Structures are given as C-alpha cells and as structure tokens.
Amino acid sequence: MPADLAVIGLGHLGLPLAQAAVAAGIATLGHDPGPAPGRSPAPWGDPAPPLDTGVLSTAELRRMLATGFTPTADPKGLGRVRTAVICVPAPRGADGSPDLAQVGDAARVLAARLRPHTTVVLESPVPPGTTEDFLLPLLEEGSGLRAGRDFHLAYSPSRIDPGNRDHRYTATPKVIGGLTPACTESAAAFYGRLTDKVVRARGTREAETVQLLETNFRHVNIALVNEMAVLCHDLGVDLWDVVRCAETKPFGFQAFRPGPGVGGHGVPQDLAGPQYAVRPLRMVELAQQVNSQMPRYVIQRAAALLNEHGKSARGARVLLLGVTYKPDVPDQQGSPAQEIATRLMELGASVSYHDPYVPAWSVLDRPVPRADSLYDSAADADLTLLLQHHRTYDLQGLAVKAQLLLDTRGTTPTGSAHRL
C-alpha cells in the first residue's frame, strides 16, 4: 500500500508522530538517512534505518510495522506522499545557537522529490522565522515549486511527552501555523486525523514562537522551584510541604517540583546572538544558570549528608537510582545523572547504579557497575541517591533498606528519607 505520510527523522519527535498516524490508519513512510549517535539497531535489521529505540519499545515498533509503517533510508518514496513532516533534531551548538544542519539536509532531500499539492510541515524545535527564512528557500530552490502556490508549507510545534499516560497524542491539541491561510487549513486537515483538537496560529512565526514559549515556561518555572529548594533547605523549611499546600490554589499557580537537574530534548532558547535583532530573554538565561547548578548542589548535599554520619565522599559506596531524564522511559538525553556520577567519581566515591530501563551505562568512557539486587545494593551502599522515580521502585521498602537515602524528587514517604 503506498504511503500517505512521510515522517523525516525517526527520533523522539518523528517516531511518536508515525505511531499516531499508523494508529489512525494512515500508511506512513519513515525516512532517516542513516545512523546517528545514541541510536540502537532497529530490531528488524537492514535495509531499514536504525531507529531510536529509546523512544518506543521494540513491541510498539513491531506493531507499527504490522499496521502500515515502513521505515527506510531510501528517499525515493518521499515524492509519492501527500504530507511530509520534518522531525529532525535541531540541537544547540557550543554558543547556544541552534544547529539547523539536519533541517537543511532534510529539506534538500525532500525538495529533490517534492511534487505539487504536497503539504510540508516542520516540527523540529527551531527559532521563529526558520520556516520562512531558512526552510522555504531550500524547498523552492530544490524543487522549482512555489510555496503557498504549488505546495503547502506550515509549522507545528511538537508536544510530545514521552511516557505520559494521561496526555496522549490524540488528546493533546495541535498548533498549526501556515505560510498562507490555505497552507494552515491543509496542515490542519492532516493533523485533524490524528488529534481531537487543532489550534490555528496566525502564521508560521507565531507557531514557532509557541514552541519557544512552552519550552522556556518549563525551564523558568523549574529554575524557580530549584532556587526555592535551596532556600528552604537553608531556612529549615520543608519545601515539599510548601508545594503540596500551594498547589491547592485553584488559580494563578501551577505546581513544579525541584530535581537534580533538567534533562530531555526541549532545551531552553533565549535567542541571544547577532543573528537575532531582538533583546535576549534574560530570564531564560538566568534559568539556565540556576538549573545547570543543580547537579553540583546535589553533590554538596550528598557530601554533607555523608559527613554528618561520619563518612567521607572519598571511598564511599554510592548507589544511583534512575539515570534516565524522566520516569518510566529509557531515554537518557540530558540526564543530570551523568554529571552527578562524574563529580562523585572525581571525589573518589565508588559509584554503582540501578535503572530498570538502562541495562548498561558508562561514565567517563568507563562502564558503571549495575546493581542486580536492588535492595541488597541499597543496604550495602553508604549512600543511595534517588535521581529518578520509576514506577517499579518501592520507595518505602528502599527507605527501610538503605543506610542513607537522599531523595532528589521528593517522592519517598515523609520522614523516611532525606529530601533535596
């Protein structure tokens, strides 16, 4: 059966989109040019491209294959679909500016095969103006077609939340901003097949800025509650009780909780740099500084806790629980566990880990011992650090077994562990 949709980029954005499309009965072609760092081999082997199996389980991928999903590294099928969605990464470079190289590569591959009346949508996290100023010229030059006349062009910010069982793809409203009103309607007609609600933005720049606002909203509020965590510890105040009480307010407040750092693929964006003729978002820059200091703060608290119990970080046996960036997913992108483990090793601690989703883990190019028996390892460790609360963890049981337990997520029963 010929594909109706092409998803370009089979990572944390593209695979959930393809999964939702296949579930809606849309024959979907998944295109990825080849291996990328951190990818695992696809369970079905060549000639399909390697997929990011840290996003979906092998069982989910196999179900997709059986119901209309065709992954391929061959781009020839891109010219036979009605809708093409670009979902490749746009990571931040060393200077903080987005690297659009993969977006450009995807555009050139698609443009060479683009046919009239195709709807092209960009979902990659990009700065405002990218769709019109960067993507559009590449598509027009490579295809000889005119955007808004010969083919439709739109932007839609991705709202993927891996592992979230409450807000699934179909129940999450999709924002669409097109180059023209007709472009918006064409993209809205496609996404209307996948989601219960489509929200129309004024244009591509507004839709791109939605992504900017949503991502920065998360980072700024996490930074605020992280600062509150440090303040409350210094004051001898139970922050977790403060948050519990504050979230009962039915207006003007949304609860965020502190943690050992901020991971994930949605990195903060402040539009700093000469390429943007706008004032940088100073609050975002400050939020980055606050959140980036949290792994160091966790180490300070861990060392102080060991000292209080007559032990030194040097030579201490430290067990890290949960090394992924969020609960109940195997994705380690941006997880603070890497920096925390590194700093512990630099202090001379003997580090081991446990994570039901991570069978092997390396830090500083050295394998970290994995705890096979969770409770025995917690009992043997001088300090157990809970970095991520997976559902499989019995925190009450762990609190009883562990010699010292530092909970950076505030999920252990009150009084049973030391909290961040």
Side-chain angles (χ1 to χ4, degrees), residues 23 136 210 232 263 288 345 355 397 409:
L136 182 152
V210 168
C232 286
Q288 287 180 269
M345 291 176 180
D355 194 304
R409 298 291 179 176

Side-chain angles (χ1 to χ4, degrees), residues 53 55 66 187 197 202 210 212 272 335 343 361 379 388 401 417:
T53 52
V55 177
K197 183 177 182 179
R202 287 182 179 271
V210 168
L212 181 78
S335 171
R343 292 184 178 275
W361 190 46
Q388 196 55 265
K401 288 286 187 179

Side-chain angles (χ1 to χ4, degrees), residues 112-123:
R113 295 154 184 86
L114 190 61
R115 293 186 179 184
H117 310 300
T118 304
T119 299
V120 180
V121 183
L122 178 62
E123 282 203 10

